[in-house]
Amino acid sequence: MNTAHDAFRSAKLYTDNILYCLVHLPPAAITAAAGVLAEIGAPFSALIADKDEVSLLIPQDDWEEFAHRLPDHKVKANYRLITFDLVLDFDLVGFLAIVSKILAEANVSVLALSAFERDHVLVQAGQFDTAWAALRRAQTGEDGGWV
């Protein structure tokens, strides 16, 4: 793979058909959020902490069980996962730019996450079919686009 376009065309799209929620917490909640994440042990989840907030991404079904342990939260629910199932090189430039452009043109809001080897996006469940179809069309060139 030489370019982001090559990588995008080669990436297998994967989803797990699970609904996710993104939880906003105050910075002091990092330990409690990490504990929840450890207990869940979900195959897809994320914990991001910065100076202003803690964000926890977990399966929506699990959130209902743990919400009482994380006070002062805000929740955005009903997200679906799309994984670009391909090991991406750290020197690759523009992969998420391609994905973002395709989804923006399809009028799909996106939450992007990068792991060590793979990139993922989360989209609202109501936009999932539109997002999936737009990405597939772009991969195969059916949309006549530049990818």
Side-chain angles (χ1 to χ4, degrees):
M1 260 175 303
N2 299 336
T3 69
H5 293 240
D6 294 335
F8 176 76
R9 282 187 210 101
S10 299
K12 180 180 176 188
L13 299 182
Y14 167 82
T15 190
D16 57 10
N17 298 312
I18 294 174
L19 287 176
Y20 290 90
C21 64
L22 183 64
V23 182
H24 171 276
L25 299 161
I30 181 68
T31 302
V36 166
L37 193 63
E39 278 186 56
I40 292 172
F44 189 83
S45 57
L47 176 64
I48 301 171
D50 66 28
K51 66 180 184 52
D52 298 313
E53 65 182 319
V54 170
S55 296
L56 180 64
L57 178 72
I58 59 174
Q60 200 163 297
D61 287 345
D62 291 322
W63 172 244
E64 296 165 10
E65 180 181 341
F66 291 100
H68 71 281
R69 288 178 38 189
L70 299 168
D72 301 322
H73 63 265
K74 297 181 221 171
V75 179
K76 294 289 184 180
N78 295 317
Y79 282 94
R80 293 270 314 271
L81 170 70
I82 300 174
T83 294
F84 300 92
D85 202 0
L86 176 72
V87 175
L88 298 170
D89 189 284
F90 275 92
D91 294 327
L92 186 66
V93 175
F95 185 83
L96 280 177
I98 292 169
V99 171
S100 294
K101 183 177 188 316
I102 293 163
L103 295 178
E105 288 175 354
N107 201 35
V108 174
S109 177
V110 62
L111 171 64
L113 297 170
S114 295
F116 193 89
E117 293 184 337
R118 286 168 184 75
D119 285 346
H120 313 271
V121 294
L122 288 120
V123 299
Q124 282 288 308
Q127 295 183 308
F128 178 83
D129 290 339
T130 299
W132 188 271
L135 292 166
R136 292 296 302 139
R137 280 192 309 274
Q139 281 186 318
T140 60
E142 292 175 31
D143 66 350
W146 53 272
V147 175

Short mmCIF file of all heavy atoms in Angstrom, two decimals, residues 51-119:
data_model
loop_
_atom_site.label_atom_id
_atom_site.label_comp_id
_atom_site.label_asym_id
_atom_site.label_seq_id
_atom_site.Cartn_x
_atom_site.Cartn_y
_atom_site.Cartn_z
N LYS A 51 -7.25 17.18 29.76
CA LYS A 51 -7.26 18.11 30.90
C LYS A 51 -8.66 18.57 31.27
O LYS A 51 -8.89 19.00 32.40
CB LYS A 51 -6.36 19.31 30.62
CG LYS A 51 -6.85 20.21 29.49
CD LYS A 51 -5.90 21.37 29.28
CE LYS A 51 -6.39 22.33 28.24
NZ LYS A 51 -7.74 22.82 28.39
N ASP A 52 -9.61 18.46 30.37
CA ASP A 52 -10.95 18.99 30.60
C ASP A 52 -12.03 17.95 30.83
O ASP A 52 -13.10 18.29 31.33
CB ASP A 52 -11.37 19.86 29.40
CG ASP A 52 -10.46 21.05 29.22
OD1 ASP A 52 -10.17 21.73 30.22
OD2 ASP A 52 -10.02 21.27 28.07
N GLU A 53 -11.78 16.73 30.42
CA GLU A 53 -12.85 15.74 30.50
C GLU A 53 -12.32 14.32 30.37
O GLU A 53 -11.19 14.09 29.94
CB GLU A 53 -13.87 15.97 29.38
CG GLU A 53 -13.29 15.75 27.99
CD GLU A 53 -14.28 16.03 26.88
OE1 GLU A 53 -15.45 15.65 26.99
OE2 GLU A 53 -13.87 16.63 25.87
N VAL A 54 -13.19 13.40 30.72
CA VAL A 54 -12.97 11.97 30.47
C VAL A 54 -14.11 11.53 29.57
O VAL A 54 -15.27 11.87 29.81
CB VAL A 54 -12.99 11.16 31.79
CG1 VAL A 54 -13.00 9.67 31.51
CG2 VAL A 54 -11.79 11.53 32.66
N SER A 55 -13.77 10.81 28.50
CA SER A 55 -14.78 10.26 27.60
C SER A 55 -14.68 8.75 27.63
O SER A 55 -13.59 8.19 27.52
CB SER A 55 -14.56 10.76 26.17
OG SER A 55 -14.72 12.16 26.11
N LEU A 56 -15.80 8.12 27.79
CA LEU A 56 -15.88 6.67 27.87
C LEU A 56 -16.82 6.18 26.78
O LEU A 56 -17.96 6.65 26.70
CB LEU A 56 -16.40 6.27 29.26
CG LEU A 56 -16.57 4.80 29.58
CD1 LEU A 56 -15.22 4.08 29.57
CD2 LEU A 56 -17.24 4.65 30.94
N LEU A 57 -16.34 5.29 25.95
CA LEU A 57 -17.16 4.71 24.88
C LEU A 57 -17.35 3.24 25.20
O LEU A 57 -16.37 2.49 25.27
CB LEU A 57 -16.47 4.87 23.52
CG LEU A 57 -17.22 4.26 22.36
CD1 LEU A 57 -18.46 5.09 22.03
CD2 LEU A 57 -16.33 4.14 21.15
N ILE A 58 -18.60 2.85 25.41
CA ILE A 58 -18.90 1.47 25.78
C ILE A 58 -20.21 1.02 25.12
O ILE A 58 -21.00 1.85 24.67
CB ILE A 58 -19.02 1.29 27.31
CG1 ILE A 58 -20.12 2.19 27.90
CG2 ILE A 58 -17.69 1.54 28.00
CD1 ILE A 58 -20.39 1.97 29.38
N PRO A 59 -20.43 -0.30 25.07
CA PRO A 59 -21.71 -0.77 24.56
C PRO A 59 -22.86 -0.18 25.38
O PRO A 59 -22.79 -0.10 26.61
CB PRO A 59 -21.63 -2.29 24.73
CG PRO A 59 -20.16 -2.58 24.66
CD PRO A 59 -19.52 -1.42 25.36
N GLN A 60 -23.88 0.24 24.70
CA GLN A 60 -25.01 0.90 25.33
C GLN A 60 -25.68 0.01 26.37
O GLN A 60 -26.09 0.50 27.44
CB GLN A 60 -26.00 1.30 24.24
CG GLN A 60 -26.97 2.37 24.62
CD GLN A 60 -27.60 2.97 23.40
OE1 GLN A 60 -26.92 3.57 22.58
NE2 GLN A 60 -28.90 2.81 23.26
N ASP A 61 -25.79 -1.27 26.11
CA ASP A 61 -26.41 -2.18 27.07
C ASP A 61 -25.65 -2.21 28.39
O ASP A 61 -26.24 -2.35 29.45
CB ASP A 61 -26.50 -3.60 26.51
CG ASP A 61 -27.56 -3.73 25.42
OD1 ASP A 61 -28.41 -2.83 25.30
OD2 ASP A 61 -27.52 -4.74 24.69
N ASP A 62 -24.33 -2.07 28.33
CA ASP A 62 -23.52 -2.06 29.55
C ASP A 62 -23.68 -0.77 30.33
O ASP A 62 -23.59 -0.76 31.55
CB ASP A 62 -22.04 -2.29 29.22
CG ASP A 62 -21.78 -3.70 28.72
OD1 ASP A 62 -22.40 -4.64 29.25
OD2 ASP A 62 -20.95 -3.85 27.81
N TRP A 63 -23.89 0.33 29.63
CA TRP A 63 -24.02 1.62 30.29
C TRP A 63 -25.14 1.61 31.34
O TRP A 63 -24.98 2.14 32.44
CB TRP A 63 -24.23 2.74 29.28
CG TRP A 63 -24.56 4.04 29.95
CD1 TRP A 63 -25.72 4.74 29.84
CD2 TRP A 63 -23.73 4.78 30.84
NE1 TRP A 63 -25.66 5.87 30.61
CE2 TRP A 63 -24.45 5.93 31.25
CE3 TRP A 63 -22.45 4.59 31.36
CZ2 TRP A 63 -23.93 6.87 32.12
CZ3 TRP A 63 -21.94 5.54 32.23
CH2 TRP A 63 -22.67 6.66 32.60
N GLU A 64 -26.24 1.01 30.99
CA GLU A 64 -27.38 0.99 31.91
C GLU A 64 -27.00 0.38 33.26
O GLU A 64 -27.48 0.80 34.30
CB GLU A 64 -28.55 0.26 31.26
CG GLU A 64 -29.06 1.00 30.02
CD GLU A 64 -29.96 0.16 29.13
OE1 GLU A 64 -30.37 -0.94 29.52
OE2 GLU A 64 -30.24 0.64 28.02
N GLU A 65 -26.12 -0.59 33.26
CA GLU A 65 -25.68 -1.25 34.49
C GLU A 65 -24.73 -0.38 35.32
O GLU A 65 -24.71 -0.47 36.53
CB GLU A 65 -24.99 -2.58 34.14
CG GLU A 65 -24.50 -3.34 35.34
CD GLU A 65 -23.81 -4.63 34.96
OE1 GLU A 65 -24.00 -5.12 33.82
OE2 GLU A 65 -23.06 -5.15 35.80
N PHE A 66 -23.93 0.46 34.65
CA PHE A 66 -22.88 1.19 35.35
C PHE A 66 -23.15 2.69 35.54
O PHE A 66 -22.39 3.37 36.22
CB PHE A 66 -21.55 1.02 34.59
CG PHE A 66 -21.02 -0.37 34.66
CD1 PHE A 66 -21.20 -1.24 33.61
CD2 PHE A 66 -20.34 -0.80 35.79
CE1 PHE A 66 -20.71 -2.54 33.67
CE2 PHE A 66 -19.84 -2.09 35.87
CZ PHE A 66 -20.03 -2.96 34.81
N ALA A 67 -24.20 3.22 34.98
CA ALA A 67 -24.46 4.65 35.02
C ALA A 67 -24.48 5.20 36.44
O ALA A 67 -23.95 6.29 36.70
CB ALA A 67 -25.79 4.97 34.32
N HIS A 68 -25.02 4.45 37.36
CA HIS A 68 -25.13 4.94 38.75
C HIS A 68 -23.76 5.12 39.41
O HIS A 68 -23.62 5.87 40.37
CB HIS A 68 -25.99 3.99 39.58
CG HIS A 68 -25.33 2.67 39.86
ND1 HIS A 68 -25.28 1.66 38.92
CD2 HIS A 68 -24.66 2.23 40.95
CE1 HIS A 68 -24.62 0.63 39.42
NE2 HIS A 68 -24.23 0.95 40.66
N ARG A 69 -22.72 4.47 38.88
CA ARG A 69 -21.38 4.58 39.46
C ARG A 69 -20.60 5.79 38.94
O ARG A 69 -19.51 6.08 39.42
CB ARG A 69 -20.58 3.30 39.16
CG ARG A 69 -21.08 2.15 39.97
CD ARG A 69 -20.40 0.85 39.71
NE ARG A 69 -18.97 0.89 39.47
CZ ARG A 69 -18.29 -0.18 39.05
NH1 ARG A 69 -18.92 -1.33 38.84
NH2 ARG A 69 -17.00 -0.10 38.85
N LEU A 70 -21.15 6.46 37.95
CA LEU A 70 -20.45 7.59 37.33
C LEU A 70 -21.34 8.83 37.35
O LEU A 70 -21.98 9.18 36.36
CB LEU A 70 -20.04 7.22 35.90
CG LEU A 70 -19.09 6.03 35.78
CD1 LEU A 70 -18.97 5.57 34.35
CD2 LEU A 70 -17.72 6.36 36.36
N PRO A 71 -21.38 9.51 38.48
CA PRO A 71 -22.23 10.71 38.57
C PRO A 71 -21.68 11.84 37.71
O PRO A 71 -20.54 11.78 37.25
CB PRO A 71 -22.17 11.06 40.07
CG PRO A 71 -20.91 10.45 40.56
CD PRO A 71 -20.66 9.22 39.71
N ASP A 72 -22.50 12.84 37.53
CA ASP A 72 -22.13 14.03 36.74
C ASP A 72 -21.78 13.69 35.30
O ASP A 72 -20.86 14.24 34.71
CB ASP A 72 -20.96 14.79 37.38
CG ASP A 72 -21.28 15.26 38.79
OD1 ASP A 72 -22.44 15.66 39.01
OD2 ASP A 72 -20.39 15.20 39.65
N HIS A 73 -22.51 12.77 34.72
CA HIS A 73 -22.25 12.35 33.35
C HIS A 73 -23.23 12.99 32.37
O HIS A 73 -24.31 13.40 32.76
CB HIS A 73 -22.29 10.82 33.22
CG HIS A 73 -23.65 10.25 33.53
ND1 HIS A 73 -23.98 9.78 34.78
CD2 HIS A 73 -24.76 10.10 32.77
CE1 HIS A 73 -25.23 9.34 34.76
NE2 HIS A 73 -25.73 9.53 33.55
N LYS A 74 -22.80 13.03 31.12
CA LYS A 74 -23.66 13.34 29.98
C LYS A 74 -23.48 12.17 29.02
O LYS A 74 -22.38 11.65 28.88
CB LYS A 74 -23.22 14.63 29.27
CG LYS A 74 -23.30 15.88 30.10
CD LYS A 74 -22.86 17.06 29.25
CE LYS A 74 -22.02 17.99 30.05
NZ LYS A 74 -21.39 19.03 29.25
N VAL A 75 -24.54 11.79 28.34
CA VAL A 75 -24.48 10.63 27.47
C VAL A 75 -25.03 10.95 26.09
O VAL A 75 -26.07 11.60 25.96
CB VAL A 75 -25.29 9.45 28.06
CG1 VAL A 75 -25.26 8.25 27.14
CG2 VAL A 75 -24.76 9.07 29.43
N LYS A 76 -24.33 10.50 25.07
CA LYS A 76 -24.81 10.50 23.69
C LYS A 76 -24.90 9.03 23.28
O LYS A 76 -23.89 8.31 23.31
CB LYS A 76 -23.87 11.25 22.75
CG LYS A 76 -23.78 12.72 23.03
CD LYS A 76 -25.07 13.40 22.64
CE LYS A 76 -24.95 14.89 22.83
NZ LYS A 76 -26.16 15.57 22.45
N ALA A 77 -26.09 8.59 22.92
CA ALA A 77 -26.31 7.17 22.69
C ALA A 77 -26.61 6.87 21.22
O ALA A 77 -26.72 7.77 20.39
CB ALA A 77 -27.47 6.69 23.56
N ASN A 78 -26.75 5.59 20.94
CA ASN A 78 -27.16 5.06 19.64
C ASN A 78 -26.13 5.26 18.54
O ASN A 78 -26.45 5.67 17.43
CB ASN A 78 -28.51 5.65 19.21
CG ASN A 78 -29.62 5.22 20.14
OD1 ASN A 78 -29.70 4.06 20.53
ND2 ASN A 78 -30.46 6.16 20.53
N TYR A 79 -24.89 4.94 18.85
CA TYR A 79 -23.82 4.95 17.85
C TYR A 79 -23.56 3.54 17.36
O TYR A 79 -23.69 2.58 18.12
CB TYR A 79 -22.53 5.53 18.43
CG TYR A 79 -22.54 7.03 18.52
CD1 TYR A 79 -22.93 7.66 19.69
CD2 TYR A 79 -22.16 7.82 17.44
CE1 TYR A 79 -22.95 9.03 19.78
CE2 TYR A 79 -22.19 9.20 17.52
CZ TYR A 79 -22.58 9.80 18.69
OH TYR A 79 -22.60 11.16 18.77
N ARG A 80 -23.17 3.44 16.09
CA ARG A 80 -22.76 2.16 15.51
C ARG A 80 -21.32 2.28 15.04
O ARG A 80 -20.87 3.34 14.58
CB ARG A 80 -23.63 1.80 14.31
CG ARG A 80 -25.09 1.50 14.60
CD ARG A 80 -25.40 0.05 14.91
NE ARG A 80 -24.81 -0.92 14.01
CZ ARG A 80 -25.37 -1.38 12.87
NH1 ARG A 80 -26.53 -0.92 12.47
NH2 ARG A 80 -24.75 -2.28 12.15
N LEU A 81 -20.61 1.19 15.10
CA LEU A 81 -19.19 1.11 14.79
C LEU A 81 -18.95 0.70 13.34
O LEU A 81 -19.61 -0.21 12.82
CB LEU A 81 -18.54 0.07 15.70
CG LEU A 81 -17.11 -0.34 15.40
CD1 LEU A 81 -16.15 0.79 15.73
CD2 LEU A 81 -16.76 -1.60 16.20
N ILE A 82 -18.00 1.37 12.71
CA ILE A 82 -17.43 0.91 11.43
C ILE A 82 -15.92 0.90 11.62
O ILE A 82 -15.32 1.92 11.92
CB ILE A 82 -17.81 1.82 10.25
CG1 ILE A 82 -19.32 1.88 10.05
CG2 ILE A 82 -17.11 1.33 8.96
CD1 ILE A 82 -19.79 2.88 9.00
N THR A 83 -15.34 -0.28 11.48
CA THR A 83 -13.89 -0.44 11.58
C THR A 83 -13.32 -0.63 10.19
O THR A 83 -13.89 -1.37 9.38
CB THR A 83 -13.54 -1.67 12.46
OG1 THR A 83 -13.96 -1.39 13.79
CG2 THR A 83 -12.05 -1.96 12.45
N PHE A 84 -12.20 0.01 9.93
CA PHE A 84 -11.46 -0.19 8.68
C PHE A 84 -10.43 -1.25 9.01
O PHE A 84 -9.38 -0.98 9.60
CB PHE A 84 -10.86 1.13 8.20
CG PHE A 84 -11.94 2.14 7.95
CD1 PHE A 84 -12.32 3.02 8.95
CD2 PHE A 84 -12.62 2.16 6.75
CE1 PHE A 84 -13.36 3.91 8.75
CE2 PHE A 84 -13.66 3.05 6.54
CZ PHE A 84 -14.03 3.93 7.55
N ASP A 85 -10.77 -2.50 8.69
CA ASP A 85 -10.02 -3.66 9.15
C ASP A 85 -8.80 -3.89 8.26
O ASP A 85 -8.81 -4.73 7.36
CB ASP A 85 -10.93 -4.88 9.19
CG ASP A 85 -10.41 -5.96 10.12
OD1 ASP A 85 -9.34 -5.75 10.73
OD2 ASP A 85 -11.06 -7.01 10.24
N LEU A 86 -7.78 -3.10 8.55
CA LEU A 86 -6.53 -3.15 7.80
C LEU A 86 -5.47 -2.51 8.69
O LEU A 86 -5.73 -1.46 9.28
CB LEU A 86 -6.68 -2.34 6.51
CG LEU A 86 -5.45 -2.18 5.63
CD1 LEU A 86 -5.13 -3.51 4.94
CD2 LEU A 86 -5.70 -1.11 4.59
N VAL A 87 -4.32 -3.14 8.81
CA VAL A 87 -3.24 -2.55 9.59
C VAL A 87 -2.70 -1.35 8.82
O VAL A 87 -2.26 -1.47 7.69
CB VAL A 87 -2.12 -3.59 9.87
CG1 VAL A 87 -0.95 -2.94 10.58
CG2 VAL A 87 -2.68 -4.75 10.68
N LEU A 88 -2.78 -0.19 9.46
CA LEU A 88 -2.37 1.07 8.83
C LEU A 88 -0.98 1.47 9.32
O LEU A 88 -0.71 1.43 10.52
CB LEU A 88 -3.37 2.17 9.14
CG LEU A 88 -4.79 1.91 8.62
CD1 LEU A 88 -5.76 2.94 9.18
CD2 LEU A 88 -4.81 1.93 7.10
N ASP A 89 -0.15 1.87 8.41
CA ASP A 89 1.21 2.32 8.73
C ASP A 89 1.16 3.69 9.38
O ASP A 89 0.36 4.54 9.00
CB ASP A 89 2.03 2.38 7.42
CG ASP A 89 3.48 2.62 7.68
OD1 ASP A 89 3.84 3.77 7.98
OD2 ASP A 89 4.25 1.65 7.58
N PHE A 90 2.03 3.92 10.34
CA PHE A 90 2.06 5.21 11.03
C PHE A 90 2.45 6.36 10.10
O PHE A 90 2.15 7.52 10.39
CB PHE A 90 3.03 5.17 12.22
CG PHE A 90 2.39 4.62 13.47
CD1 PHE A 90 2.47 3.28 13.77
CD2 PHE A 90 1.71 5.46 14.33
CE1 PHE A 90 1.90 2.77 14.91
CE2 PHE A 90 1.12 4.96 15.48
CZ PHE A 90 1.22 3.61 15.77
N ASP A 91 3.11 6.08 9.00
CA ASP A 91 3.52 7.12 8.06
C ASP A 91 2.44 7.44 7.03
O ASP A 91 2.60 8.37 6.24
CB ASP A 91 4.80 6.69 7.33
CG ASP A 91 5.98 6.59 8.27
OD1 ASP A 91 6.04 7.36 9.24
OD2 ASP A 91 6.85 5.73 8.03
N LEU A 92 1.35 6.70 7.04
CA LEU A 92 0.27 6.93 6.09
C LEU A 92 -0.41 8.26 6.37
O LEU A 92 -0.79 8.56 7.50
CB LEU A 92 -0.75 5.79 6.19
CG LEU A 92 -1.87 5.78 5.17
CD1 LEU A 92 -1.32 5.53 3.77
CD2 LEU A 92 -2.89 4.71 5.53
N VAL A 93 -0.57 9.06 5.34
CA VAL A 93 -1.15 10.39 5.49
C VAL A 93 -2.47 10.46 4.72
O VAL A 93 -2.53 10.09 3.55
CB VAL A 93 -0.18 11.47 4.94
CG1 VAL A 93 -0.83 12.85 4.97
CG2 VAL A 93 1.12 11.46 5.72
N GLY A 94 -3.53 10.92 5.40
CA GLY A 94 -4.77 11.23 4.71
C GLY A 94 -5.85 10.19 4.76
O GLY A 94 -6.92 10.40 4.17
N PHE A 95 -5.64 9.08 5.45
CA PHE A 95 -6.66 8.02 5.46
C PHE A 95 -7.98 8.53 6.03
O PHE A 95 -9.03 8.42 5.41
CB PHE A 95 -6.17 6.81 6.25
CG PHE A 95 -7.11 5.64 6.20
CD1 PHE A 95 -7.08 4.77 5.12
CD2 PHE A 95 -8.03 5.43 7.21
CE1 PHE A 95 -7.96 3.70 5.06
CE2 PHE A 95 -8.92 4.36 7.15
CZ PHE A 95 -8.88 3.50 6.08
N LEU A 96 -7.93 9.11 7.22
CA LEU A 96 -9.16 9.62 7.82
C LEU A 96 -9.73 10.82 7.07
O LEU A 96 -10.93 11.07 7.11
CB LEU A 96 -8.96 9.95 9.29
CG LEU A 96 -8.99 8.75 10.23
CD1 LEU A 96 -8.70 9.17 11.67
CD2 LEU A 96 -10.31 8.00 10.15
N ALA A 97 -8.88 11.53 6.36
CA ALA A 97 -9.38 12.64 5.53
C ALA A 97 -10.29 12.10 4.42
O ALA A 97 -11.33 12.68 4.12
CB ALA A 97 -8.22 13.43 4.94
N ILE A 98 -9.89 10.99 3.84
CA ILE A 98 -10.71 10.35 2.81
C ILE A 98 -12.05 9.91 3.39
O ILE A 98 -13.12 10.20 2.85
CB ILE A 98 -9.97 9.16 2.18
CG1 ILE A 98 -8.76 9.64 1.38
CG2 ILE A 98 -10.91 8.32 1.32
CD1 ILE A 98 -7.82 8.54 0.95
N VAL A 99 -11.98 9.20 4.52
CA VAL A 99 -13.19 8.72 5.17
C VAL A 99 -14.10 9.89 5.54
O VAL A 99 -15.31 9.86 5.27
CB VAL A 99 -12.82 7.88 6.42
CG1 VAL A 99 -14.06 7.55 7.24
CG2 VAL A 99 -12.07 6.62 6.02
N SER A 100 -13.52 10.92 6.14
CA SER A 100 -14.31 12.09 6.55
C SER A 100 -14.98 12.77 5.37
O SER A 100 -16.14 13.20 5.45
CB SER A 100 -13.42 13.09 7.29
OG SER A 100 -12.97 12.53 8.49
N LYS A 101 -14.25 12.89 4.27
CA LYS A 101 -14.82 13.54 3.07
C LYS A 101 -16.01 12.74 2.53
O LYS A 101 -17.05 13.32 2.22
CB LYS A 101 -13.75 13.69 2.00
CG LYS A 101 -14.24 14.43 0.75
CD LYS A 101 -13.11 14.61 -0.24
CE LYS A 101 -13.44 15.47 -1.41
NZ LYS A 101 -14.70 15.28 -2.06
N ILE A 102 -15.84 11.44 2.45
CA ILE A 102 -16.93 10.59 1.94
C ILE A 102 -18.16 10.72 2.82
O ILE A 102 -19.29 10.90 2.33
CB ILE A 102 -16.47 9.12 1.86
CG1 ILE A 102 -15.40 8.96 0.79
CG2 ILE A 102 -17.65 8.19 1.61
CD1 ILE A 102 -14.60 7.68 0.90
N LEU A 103 -17.96 10.65 4.12
CA LEU A 103 -19.10 10.71 5.04
C LEU A 103 -19.70 12.11 5.11
O LEU A 103 -20.92 12.26 5.23
CB LEU A 103 -18.70 10.19 6.41
CG LEU A 103 -18.33 8.69 6.41
CD1 LEU A 103 -17.88 8.24 7.78
CD2 LEU A 103 -19.48 7.84 5.90
N ALA A 104 -18.87 13.13 5.00
CA ALA A 104 -19.40 14.50 4.97
C ALA A 104 -20.26 14.70 3.73
O ALA A 104 -21.34 15.32 3.81
CB ALA A 104 -18.25 15.51 5.00
N GLU A 105 -19.81 14.20 2.60
CA GLU A 105 -20.60 14.32 1.37
C GLU A 105 -21.91 13.55 1.45
O GLU A 105 -22.88 13.90 0.77
CB GLU A 105 -19.77 13.87 0.17
CG GLU A 105 -18.67 14.87 -0.17
CD GLU A 105 -17.75 14.40 -1.29
OE1 GLU A 105 -17.87 13.24 -1.74
OE2 GLU A 105 -16.89 15.21 -1.68
N ALA A 106 -21.95 12.52 2.29
CA ALA A 106 -23.18 11.75 2.51
C ALA A 106 -24.00 12.35 3.65
O ALA A 106 -25.03 11.78 4.03
CB ALA A 106 -22.84 10.30 2.81
N ASN A 107 -23.54 13.49 4.18
CA ASN A 107 -24.21 14.19 5.28
C ASN A 107 -24.31 13.32 6.54
O ASN A 107 -25.33 13.30 7.22
CB ASN A 107 -25.60 14.69 4.85
CG ASN A 107 -26.08 15.81 5.74
OD1 ASN A 107 -25.29 16.63 6.20
ND2 ASN A 107 -27.38 15.82 6.01
N VAL A 108 -23.22 12.60 6.82
CA VAL A 108 -23.16 11.73 7.99
C VAL A 108 -22.16 12.32 8.99
O VAL A 108 -21.00 12.52 8.66
CB VAL A 108 -22.73 10.29 7.61
CG1 VAL A 108 -22.52 9.44 8.85
CG2 VAL A 108 -23.76 9.66 6.68
N SER A 109 -22.63 12.56 10.19
CA SER A 109 -21.77 13.02 11.27
C SER A 109 -20.94 11.83 11.76
O SER A 109 -21.44 10.71 11.84
CB SER A 109 -22.63 13.57 12.41
OG SER A 109 -21.83 13.95 13.48
N VAL A 110 -19.69 12.10 12.12
CA VAL A 110 -18.79 11.00 12.44
C VAL A 110 -17.98 11.30 13.70
O VAL A 110 -17.59 12.44 13.95
CB VAL A 110 -17.85 10.70 11.25
CG1 VAL A 110 -16.99 11.88 10.91
CG2 VAL A 110 -17.01 9.49 11.50
N LEU A 111 -17.74 10.27 14.48
CA LEU A 111 -16.82 10.31 15.61
C LEU A 111 -15.70 9.34 15.23
O LEU A 111 -15.92 8.14 15.10
CB LEU A 111 -17.53 9.85 16.88
CG LEU A 111 -16.66 9.63 18.11
CD1 LEU A 111 -16.03 10.94 18.56
CD2 LEU A 111 -17.49 9.03 19.23
N ALA A 112 -14.49 9.87 15.03
CA ALA A 112 -13.36 9.05 14.58
C ALA A 112 -12.47 8.69 15.75
O ALA A 112 -12.19 9.52 16.62
CB ALA A 112 -12.56 9.81 13.53
N LEU A 113 -12.01 7.44 15.77
CA LEU A 113 -11.08 6.95 16.78
C LEU A 113 -9.99 6.16 16.08
O LEU A 113 -10.28 5.35 15.18
CB LEU A 113 -11.77 6.04 17.78
CG LEU A 113 -12.86 6.66 18.64
CD1 LEU A 113 -13.60 5.58 19.40
CD2 LEU A 113 -12.25 7.65 19.62
N SER A 114 -8.77 6.36 16.51
CA SER A 114 -7.66 5.59 15.96
C SER A 114 -7.06 4.73 17.05
O SER A 114 -6.76 5.22 18.15
CB SER A 114 -6.59 6.53 15.40
OG SER A 114 -7.10 7.24 14.30
N ALA A 115 -6.87 3.47 16.75
CA ALA A 115 -6.16 2.56 17.63
C ALA A 115 -4.73 2.43 17.09
O ALA A 115 -4.34 3.14 16.17
CB ALA A 115 -6.86 1.21 17.66
N PHE A 116 -3.96 1.54 17.65
CA PHE A 116 -2.57 1.40 17.24
C PHE A 116 -2.46 1.03 15.76
O PHE A 116 -1.63 1.57 15.04
CB PHE A 116 -1.86 0.35 18.11
CG PHE A 116 -0.37 0.35 17.98
CD1 PHE A 116 0.40 1.16 18.80
CD2 PHE A 116 0.26 -0.45 17.04
CE1 PHE A 116 1.78 1.18 18.69
CE2 PHE A 116 1.64 -0.45 16.92
CZ PHE A 116 2.41 0.37 17.75
N GLU A 117 -3.29 0.09 15.30
CA GLU A 117 -3.17 -0.40 13.92
C GLU A 117 -4.37 -0.08 13.03
O GLU A 117 -4.25 -0.12 11.82
CB GLU A 117 -2.96 -1.92 13.92
CG GLU A 117 -1.63 -2.33 14.52
CD GLU A 117 -1.39 -3.83 14.44
OE1 GLU A 117 -2.36 -4.62 14.34
OE2 GLU A 117 -0.21 -4.21 14.48
N ARG A 118 -5.50 0.21 13.60
CA ARG A 118 -6.72 0.38 12.81
C ARG A 118 -7.43 1.67 13.16
O ARG A 118 -7.36 2.14 14.29
CB ARG A 118 -7.68 -0.79 13.04
CG ARG A 118 -7.23 -2.05 12.38
CD ARG A 118 -8.01 -3.27 12.85
NE ARG A 118 -7.47 -4.47 12.25
CZ ARG A 118 -6.32 -5.04 12.62
NH1 ARG A 118 -5.61 -4.53 13.59
NH2 ARG A 118 -5.88 -6.12 12.01
N ASP A 119 -8.18 2.19 12.20
CA ASP A 119 -9.04 3.35 12.44
C ASP A 119 -10.49 2.89 12.49
O ASP A 119 -10.87 1.90 11.86
CB ASP A 119 -8.87 4.39 11.33
CG ASP A 119 -7.57 5.16 11.44
OD1 ASP A 119 -6.91 5.10 12.50
OD2 ASP A 119 -7.19 5.82 10.46
#
